[in-house]
């Protein structure tokens, strides 16, 4: 039965590629991509996940923190990449709350950052029975991330006189204990843009605090350089990284559920590239040069 | 699910499908969704800046903590709007110069101290004979890759002779890295689509099931 | 006055940041000045965000007023801006629907309209990238072939089905890809680019502080 399903899947993909080539209408390829995403999601297919060493490194770094450590989790991503980044934030926050860490969250993203961080932290805090202001605080957004990152090194209160909902920091018990980076044990940056590099070059380099990160797949290859240099302690790369962490904390969610669809579409694209190149080679030999 | 929950899921699904309809061809639903999206995003900034910047960082500290001098950055901020008035646009240069100069001051040190030095150090330290053949091979790849990439981007001398050869090697390394980037980019884009499909199937599909079945 | 003063401002504000790097943040005047100056920057930065909004309102308002092509859509943009902004800036003490907190109109509009649309806009790129891979990703020469082979290996390695396939060829193949392609050749190139770009950024910063670089002033 499963073999038959796979044969049908391959035939469907091959047929749609053939139609794309014949009609030169790219919508057939769109149809194929939609098909390979919808099919495994509808069937809720789940595949075994092998943990990447970089994901394991991040997990180990957080696991090694003493209970009740003060940590920072950043929501440096736009809503456009929620499918990759929110599962990372959730998985990491699960881990932090499980360890009874005191969590400070913030964002450098003006469009949606504060709303996303508020939604995710309150959602998980409810699950773990955490109290706002004592166990976690959401600082929200301030403009110009370079100034924000640098300024928090001297005084968080100077940059964030109040939290996301406008409560003065002086009235928040947790923030009485956390004045600047010296009072934090670890920072986990979840980002979909270059701000993660400034967390390295400004915060890690100048204040010596350990930083781990979860970034979108587009960013991940670049961040390998920081992991290799030891500036970054662990890395979650794209949905696979999120799936790794969900498995590590034992909270399978959207990322693990998405890996089957991810697999099928990747295989389809590789198949399409091979077919495209075969057509190209054949036509070049015939001297047509159409493709 | 309550009526409101159903309604909000249907609204989100409607606008998502309106945008996806562009894949077939441009149409009024797509255009409407696109324009509403642009408007809401711009409107979001107004609410955010009003609360997070103007009230929390400027006005409240001025009133509650007596930090009257915060009117200066406020004034600098307002001066930015002189760009919209012909003949007065030069006033905005003062505010821009303040932000640019400040950022430049931070970058001048952080780019060297936080990027160049640690990355050069890590390259030098990558040579570790205790790691065996695999480690040695990795060191050779890293050192050769870093030097050849840097030399590929060195355009003050024509890429001929030894420099040309090393630059050519640099291109090969760059192609491997760009290939990895492409692979990861494909992954990123597909992940985003999966997220949307999960919403449409589980949330919207769940709502449809509850209402109609 | 129009050029010299901004150059002096840029130099002084940058110089304070450089000095602050070398001083104790709590025990020196410069150290205590630093977070204050940075708070100023966040305030000015906030106003710059509004520049774009004012520009969008101006452009769309003019188009609606003059009944330009597609003006009803531009009217929708204007209505959306104000529908989001007006309830947000009114105090939440009047009603929980106002302000920017959880359960407000602002929060609702973001979570159920803006965020899904933003995600969808980017999700559409999945279709385009698949189409581009089929139509344009060709092994035209040695370099392009190298790129194509690496991309294929990485695409396989990053998903469970592909990883299983690679393991069936050689048990350690996924680990080799991670070590030698991602942590080797890719890391080396990224490191080269980071070093080069960082030196360029530092040089540009110095040019801005010294007033040599004035393009941000429109010069």
């Amino acid at each position: 039965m499963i073999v038959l399903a796979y044969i049908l899947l391959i035939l469907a993909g091959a047929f749609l590629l053939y139609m794309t080539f014949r009609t030169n209408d790219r919508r057939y390829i769109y149809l194929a991509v939609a098909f390979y995403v919808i099919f495994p999601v509808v069937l809720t297919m789940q595949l075994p996940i092998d943990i990447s060493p970089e994901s394991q490194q991040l997990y180990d770094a957080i696991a090694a923190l003493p209970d009740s450590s003060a940590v920072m989790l950043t929501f440096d991503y736009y809503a456009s990449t929620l499918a990759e980044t929110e599962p990372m934030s959730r998985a990491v926050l699960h881990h932090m709350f499980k360890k009874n860490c005191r969590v400070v969250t913030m964002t450098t993203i003006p469009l949606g950052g504060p709303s996303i961080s508020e939604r995710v932290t309150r959602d998980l805090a409810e699950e773990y029975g955490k109290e706002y202001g004592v166990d976690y605080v959401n600082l929200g957004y301030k403009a110009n991330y370079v100034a924000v990152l640098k300024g928090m090194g001297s005084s968080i209160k100077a940059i964030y006189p109040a939290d996301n909902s406008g409560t003065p920091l002086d009235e928040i018990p947790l923030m009485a204990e956390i004045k600047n980076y010296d009072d934090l044990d670890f920072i986990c940056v979840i980002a979909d843009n270059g701000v993660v590099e400034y967390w390295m070059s400004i915060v890690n380099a100048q204040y010596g605090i350990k930083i781990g990160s979860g970034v979108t797949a587009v960013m991940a290859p670049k961040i390998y350089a920081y992991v290799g240099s030891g500036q970054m302690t662990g890395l979650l790369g794209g949905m696979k990284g999120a799936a790794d962490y969900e498995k590590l904390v034992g909270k399978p969610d959207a990322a693990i559920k998405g890996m089957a669809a991810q697999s099928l579409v990747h295989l389809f694209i590789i198949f399409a590239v091979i077919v495209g190149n075969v057509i190209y080679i054949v036509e070049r030999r015939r001297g047509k040069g159409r493709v | 699910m309550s009526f409101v929950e159903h309604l909000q899921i249907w609204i989100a699904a409607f606008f998502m499908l309106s945008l996806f309809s562009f894949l077939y061809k441009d149409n009024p639903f797509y255009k409407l969704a696109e324009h509403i999206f642009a408007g809401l995003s711009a409107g979001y900034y107004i609410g955010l800046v009003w609360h997070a910047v103007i009230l929390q960082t400027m006005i409240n500290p001025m009133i509650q903590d007596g930090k009257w001098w915060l009117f200066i950055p406020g004034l600098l901020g307002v001066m930015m709007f002189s760009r919209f008035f012909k003949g007065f646009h030069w006033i905005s240069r003062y505010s821009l110069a303040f932000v640019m100069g400040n950022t430049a001051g931070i970058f001048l040190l952080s780019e060297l101290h936080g990027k160049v030095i640690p990355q050069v150090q890590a390259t030098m330290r990558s040579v570790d004979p205790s790691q065996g053949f695999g480690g040695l091979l990795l060191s050779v790849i890293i050192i050769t890759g870093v030097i050849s990439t840097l030399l590929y981007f060195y355009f003050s001398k024509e890429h001929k002779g030894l420099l040309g050869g090393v630059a050519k090697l640099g291109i090969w390394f760059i192609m491997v890295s760009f290939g990895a980037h492409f692979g990861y980019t494909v992954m990123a884009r597909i992940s985003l689509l999966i997220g949307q499909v999960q919403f449409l199937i589980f949330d919207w599909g769940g709502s449809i099931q509850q209402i109609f079945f | 006055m129009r050029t010299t003063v901004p150059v002096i401002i840029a130099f002084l504000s940058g110089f304070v940041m450089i000095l602050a790097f070398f001083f104790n943040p709590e025990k020196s005047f410069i150290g205590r000045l630093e977070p204050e100056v940075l708070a100023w920057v966040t305030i000015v930065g906030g106003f710059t965000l509004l520049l774009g909004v004012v520009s969008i309102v101006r452009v769309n308002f003019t188009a609606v007023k003059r009944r330009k092509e597609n003006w009803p859509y531009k009217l929708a943009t204007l209505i959306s801006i104000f529908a989001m902004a007006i309830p947000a800036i009114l105090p939440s003490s009047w009603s929980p629907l106002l302000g920017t907190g959880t359960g407000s109109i602002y929060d609702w509009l973001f979570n159920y309209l803006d965020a899904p649309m933003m995600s969808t806009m980017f999700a559409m790129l999945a279709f385009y990238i698949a189409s581009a891979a089929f139509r344009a990703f060709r092994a035209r020469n040695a370099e392009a072939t190298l790129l194509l082979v690496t991309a294929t290996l990485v695409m396989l390695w990053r998903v469970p089905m592909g990883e299983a396939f690679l393991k069936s060829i050689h048990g350690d193949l996924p680990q080799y890809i991670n070590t030698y392609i991602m942590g080797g050749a890719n890391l080396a190139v990224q490191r080269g680019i980071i070093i080069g770009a960082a030196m360029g950024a530092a040089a540009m910063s110095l040019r801005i502080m010294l007033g040599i670089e004035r393009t941000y002033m429109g010069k």
Side-chain angles (χ1 to χ4, degrees):
Chain A
M1 191 68 186
I2 291 172
V3 175
L4 190 69
Y6 277 115
I7 292 171
L8 278 174
L9 276 174
I10 294 166
L11 284 177
F15 172 71
L16 290 166
L17 276 183
Y18 170 72
M19 290 304 289
T20 310
F21 178 67
R22 242 192 102 173
T23 59
N24 208 21
D25 187 346
R26 67 189 72 180
R27 284 176 295 191
Y28 285 105
I29 283 215
Y30 298 168
L31 203 59
V33 171
F35 174 68
Y36 286 116
V37 172
I38 294 169
F39 180 74
V41 173
V42 169
L43 295 184
T44 54
M45 279 169 71
Q46 281 197 29
L47 299 171
I49 308 283
D50 278 357
I51 310 291
S52 312
E54 294 76 20
S55 309
Q56 185 70 51
Q57 193 188 1
L58 178 65
Y59 179 84
D60 291 344
I62 296 177
L65 294 171
D67 277 3
S68 308
S69 296
V71 294
M72 182 176 265
L73 176 66
T74 78
F75 287 75
D76 294 332
Y77 52 86
Y78 289 88
S80 50
T81 59
L82 277 180
E84 287 184 277
T85 45
E86 190 178 323
M88 292 179 196
S89 300
R90 284 182 173 273
V92 171
L93 200 54
H94 270 299
H95 196 189
M96 289 171 167
F97 278 156
K98 268 184 181 175
K99 281 189 66 69
N100 288 321
C101 291
R102 291 162 301 149
V103 185
V104 179
T105 63
M106 52 88 62
T107 177
T108 57
I109 300 300
L111 188 48
S115 302
I116 296 166
S117 56
E118 195 75 43
R119 177 170 55 78
V120 173
T121 47
R122 290 202 184 263
D123 193 15
L124 264 72
E126 206 179 299
E127 189 180 328
Y128 287 89
K130 300 289 179 187
E131 191 184 341
Y132 187 83
V134 177
D135 301 309
Y136 73 103
V137 167
N138 185 10
L139 294 177
Y141 168 82
K142 289 289 173 276
N144 196 320
Y145 56 79
V146 175
V148 172
L149 265 50
K150 179 83 177 131
M152 287 199 298
S154 305
S155 161
I156 293 176
K157 197 190 152 198
I159 302 299
Y160 284 97
D163 72 351
N164 189 44
S165 46
T167 310
L169 248 53
D170 291 335
E171 295 174 17
I172 299 174
L174 178 57
M175 296 315 290
E177 302 158 27
I178 302 170
K179 302 286 182 199
N180 55 34
Y181 294 132
D182 292 341
D183 303 320
L184 291 169
D185 299 300
F186 191 78
I187 297 177
C188 184
V189 179
I190 309 289
D192 68 357
N193 59 80
V195 73
V196 65
E197 289 192 75
Y198 301 114
W199 278 104
M200 293 291 99
S201 64
I202 296 172
V203 181
N204 171 268
Q206 295 181 28
Y207 302 96
I209 183 163
K210 267 191 175 181
I211 293 180
S213 78
V215 297
T216 50
V218 175
M219 292 291 302
K222 188 167 198 181
I223 305 306
Y224 265 84
Y226 295 105
V227 177
S229 65
Q231 291 172 278
M232 178 86 79
T233 313
L235 164 72
L236 306 180
M239 194 180 249
K240 170 68 167 63
D244 285 349
Y245 217 91
E246 283 180 357
K247 188 181 173 184
L248 283 164
V249 293
K251 288 277 179 187
D253 205 349
I256 286 184
K257 285 177 191 161
M259 288 319 287
Q262 190 90 47
S263 293
L264 283 184
V265 183
H266 276 214
L267 295 180
F268 169 70
I269 290 177
I270 292 167
F271 180 58
V273 169
I274 293 169
V275 171
N277 276 280
V278 169
I279 294 169
Y280 168 71
I281 292 165
V282 170
E283 296 213 331
R284 197 168 62 170
R285 282 197 181 156
R286 284 185 192 161
K288 281 187 182 173
R290 183 185 149 191
V291 179
Chain B
M1 252 190 265
S2 66
F3 171 75
V4 177
E5 281 170 323
H6 280 297
L7 183 71
Q8 56 201 22
I9 287 173
W10 278 76
I11 289 172
F14 170 76
F15 282 105
M16 281 162 72
L17 292 173
S18 298
L19 289 174
F20 274 133
S21 68
F22 182 77
L23 293 167
Y24 184 71
K25 67 176 185 182
D26 200 0
N27 63 76
F29 287 107
Y30 172 79
K31 277 205 181 83
L32 180 69
E34 185 192 28
H35 283 79
I36 290 176
F37 165 61
L40 291 177
S41 300
Y44 191 94
Y45 283 131
I46 299 176
L48 182 70
V49 173
W50 174 251
H51 286 279
V53 180
I54 297 175
L55 283 183
Q56 290 176 14
T57 316
M58 199 175 76
I59 294 179
N60 289 349
M62 278 169 79
I63 297 170
Q64 291 160 6
D65 305 335
K67 290 186 172 181
W68 56 269
W69 54 87
L70 287 177
F71 84 91
I72 302 169
L75 188 67
L76 283 170
V78 173
M79 281 159 68
M80 295 287 272
F81 293 93
S82 66
R83 297 173 79 83
F84 294 116
F85 302 98
K86 239 182 180 175
F88 295 97
H89 66 277
W90 58 272
I91 296 173
S92 67
R93 286 180 192 166
Y94 286 49
S95 330
L96 264 178
F98 175 64
V99 176
M100 292 295 287
N102 192 284
T103 310
I106 296 172
F107 270 12
L108 183 59
L109 294 174
S110 71
E111 292 292 296
L112 299 174
H113 176 251
K115 288 185 181 172
V116 178
I117 295 172
Q119 292 296 323
V120 172
Q121 266 178 349
T123 308
M124 290 175 176
R125 284 182 188 160
S126 67
V127 185
D128 185 358
S130 66
Q131 295 291 314
F133 175 74
L136 189 70
L137 178 65
L138 192 61
S139 310
V140 171
I141 292 173
I142 290 175
I143 293 170
T144 318
V146 171
I147 294 171
S148 59
T149 303
L150 280 169
L151 285 177
Y152 173 73
F153 288 109
Y154 179 71
F155 298 119
S156 299
K157 195 170 182 286
E158 201 179 344
H159 286 186
K160 271 180 170 176
L162 182 64
L163 179 64
V166 178
K168 182 81 181 164
L169 186 64
I171 294 179
W172 287 9
F173 270 99
I174 290 167
M175 285 301 139
V176 172
S177 181
F178 285 1
H181 258 287
F182 183 84
Y184 264 95
T185 304
V186 168
M187 184 183 166
R189 301 303 174 228
I190 305 300
S191 302
L192 304 183
L193 179 62
I194 292 168
Q196 300 311 93
V197 169
Q198 282 175 336
F199 174 83
L200 287 173
I201 289 176
F202 296 132
D203 296 52
W204 189 45
S207 171
I208 291 173
Q209 202 179 13
Q210 273 199 16
I211 295 171
F212 297 108
F213 302 104
Chain C
M1 180 72 178
R2 294 184 180 193
T3 308
T4 314
V5 175
V7 168
I8 295 168
I9 292 173
F11 176 78
L12 289 177
S13 60
F15 193 62
V16 168
M17 286 301 114
I18 291 173
L19 273 184
F21 182 84
F22 300 100
F23 283 84
N24 186 307
E26 280 154 21
K27 292 177 185 163
S28 65
F29 170 72
I30 291 286
R32 286 194 300 274
L33 183 68
E34 183 202 53
E36 196 64 41
V37 174
L38 290 167
W40 287 25
V41 176
T42 68
I43 293 171
V44 183
F47 280 90
T48 58
L49 284 176
L50 293 181
L51 276 182
V53 180
V54 171
S55 188
I56 290 175
V57 171
R58 269 164 52 117
V59 168
N60 284 285
F61 183 74
T62 312
V64 172
K65 201 172 140 193
R66 293 184 186 160
R67 298 288 189 273
K68 282 188 179 173
E69 196 188 356
N70 287 333
W71 70 268
Y73 296 116
K74 299 189 188 308
L75 182 63
T77 302
L78 285 174
I79 293 170
S80 308
I81 293 174
F82 294 111
M84 189 79 152
I86 293 172
I89 57 175
L90 294 173
S92 55
S93 54
W94 292 2
S95 161
L97 293 175
L98 304 175
T100 56
T102 310
S104 62
I105 293 172
Y106 179 82
D107 191 51
W108 189 88
L109 284 173
F110 175 77
N111 283 322
Y112 292 97
L113 268 91
D114 207 21
M117 283 199 273
M118 210 189 301
S119 307
T120 309
M121 284 281 193
F122 276 74
M124 283 161 74
L125 296 175
F127 298 101
Y128 301 138
I129 207 163
S131 170
F134 176 60
R135 297 153 67 95
F137 210 22
R138 298 283 179 265
R140 289 179 204 278
N141 52 39
E143 287 88 353
T145 309
L146 197 56
L147 189 143
L148 200 148
V149 170
T150 315
T152 306
L153 282 174
V154 170
M155 273 194 270
L156 279 174
W157 164 63
R158 283 275 78 184
V159 289
M161 280 185 189
E163 204 173 2
F165 171 73
L166 291 171
K167 273 186 178 168
S168 69
I169 298 171
H170 188 287
D172 291 334
L173 198 50
Q175 192 198 324
Y176 290 155
I177 293 173
N178 193 26
T179 308
Y180 296 107
I181 295 183
M182 296 310 299
N186 165 67
L187 179 147
V189 170
Q190 295 307 325
R191 191 167 277 172
I193 292 172
I194 289 168
I195 293 170
M199 285 165 76
M204 180 59 83
S205 301
L206 192 61
R207 284 170 62 87
I208 289 171
M209 281 181 59
L210 297 178
I212 302 166
E213 180 63 47
R214 298 177 184 190
T215 44
Y216 69 90
M217 287 195 247
K219 291 240 164 194

